[in-house]
Amino acid sequence: MLHFELVTPEKLVRSEEVYMVVVPGTEGDFGVLEGHAPLMSTVRDGALSVYRTQGAQPETIAIQGGFAEVNAKGLTVLAERAA
């Protein structure tokens, strides 16, 4: 499973183990699974799609701006706002 964290300047919004997250990057959407290569990207306004298990329907979370980082620990999205 992929460790996923969504953080805004005000608080930690999510911290959980998920199957996959699709991030709205400024150069296009990208999916992150466990074991993804390290990556940093800016994030455009849009919706994160969080898949809790393989084949599940995604939960969407609206975000505004920020950055996404994938490293050995998982995926962290630092968003200006999340709803």
Side-chain angles (χ1 to χ4, degrees):
M1 297 294 281
L2 170 71
H3 184 71
F4 164 62
E5 290 192 345
L6 174 58
V7 182
T8 66
E10 292 81 31
K11 64 180 179 176
L12 174 64
V13 177
R14 292 280 179 94
S15 180
E16 58 191 336
E17 302 297 316
V18 299
Y19 173 70
M20 179 175 73
V21 179
V22 178
V23 180
T26 53
E27 295 183 19
D29 293 359
F30 61 93
V32 180
L33 294 162
E34 182 180 21
H36 194 287
L39 169 76
M40 285 204 69
S41 175
T42 51
V43 174
R44 72 177 192 282
D45 295 356
L48 288 170
S49 296
V50 180
Y51 295 81
R52 292 188 183 277
T53 60
Q54 186 173 4
Q57 289 296 317
E59 174 186 356
T60 57
I61 304 168
I63 60 170
Q64 292 181 342
F67 296 90
E69 179 183 10
V70 180
N71 59 33
K73 295 179 183 178
L75 167 66
T76 301
V77 177
L78 306 167
E80 293 172 15
R81 291 188 183 167

